[in-house]
Amino acid sequence: MCNIKRQTRYFLSGIFAGVLIGISASVYLVNYDLRIVREVLFSFGLLAIFQLKFNLYTGKAGFIFKEEFTGFKGIATLFLILIANFAGIAIWSFIVGFTKYAQTIVSNAQIICEARTGMPSLNLFMSAVGCGIMMNVAARTKEKSILT
């Protein structure tokens, strides 16, 4: 029973993290022409997730060797967090679809997707690895309470 409660907490926390990432991505895409503004505003979403201790997959995946995430149960927990993050993003995407910013967000997302599909696979992979490393550094920094 305790495990079900814990997994439920992980799932709900993952949904909230997904919603915050969705909000951050929306702000990023609405302000696509203002590079510094969009990047600073997106980082506030990440800071909020870490400060509120929500479960974001990219913030947890680097802790795979930590006792909490080892073995099959750990991998299943990370997968649960990933699914919850997608659910949160889907919830936010549905909501933002009814706003006046929906078309701007879609247009700017298409620009980014088109640019990414034209990149060599190695460049995309290295960008993903670099992003993962930065997320892990941020998560570890927060875990050590340097930011509190």
Side-chain angles (χ1 to χ4, degrees):
M1 183 67 170
C2 182
N3 193 29
I4 291 174
K5 282 185 178 181
R6 191 178 91 185
Q7 295 301 333
T8 302
R9 276 197 315 261
Y10 273 119
F11 190 74
L12 290 175
S13 174
I15 288 175
F16 291 134
V19 168
L20 282 174
I21 285 297
I23 292 169
S24 297
S26 297
V27 169
Y28 181 94
L29 290 167
V30 167
N31 294 290
Y32 187 69
D33 295 332
L34 307 169
R35 183 175 181 166
I36 299 297
V37 172
R38 72 178 191 215
E39 291 170 359
V40 169
L41 291 174
F42 186 83
S43 68
F44 283 121
L46 296 176
L47 289 172
I49 289 168
F50 290 136
Q51 191 63 34
L52 295 170
K53 297 181 178 155
F54 289 156
N55 287 316
L56 182 63
Y57 174 80
T58 53
K60 297 287 184 190
F63 295 101
I64 193 135
F65 297 111
K66 192 175 177 183
E67 185 177 321
E68 181 180 10
F69 295 110
T70 56
F72 177 76
K73 286 183 180 179
I75 300 297
T77 300
L78 286 174
F79 185 70
L80 178 72
I81 291 169
L82 182 63
I83 296 300
N85 290 166
F86 278 124
I89 292 168
I91 290 167
W92 180 255
S93 297
F94 178 76
I95 293 168
V96 83
F98 295 104
T99 69
K100 68 179 183 177
Y101 300 109
Q103 187 55 43
T104 302
I105 289 170
V106 170
S107 297
N108 288 336
Q110 286 173 336
I111 291 168
I112 293 170
C113 289
E114 288 170 7
R116 297 283 191 252
T117 55
M119 291 174 65
S121 298
L122 182 60
N123 287 14
L124 290 172
F125 178 75
M126 293 308 296
S127 293
V129 168
C131 178
I133 289 170
M134 294 305 293
M135 288 298 298
N136 193 263
V137 167
R140 288 180 187 273
T141 301
K142 177 59 183 152
E143 186 178 82
K144 293 185 186 290
S145 299
I146 293 172
L147 295 176
T148 57

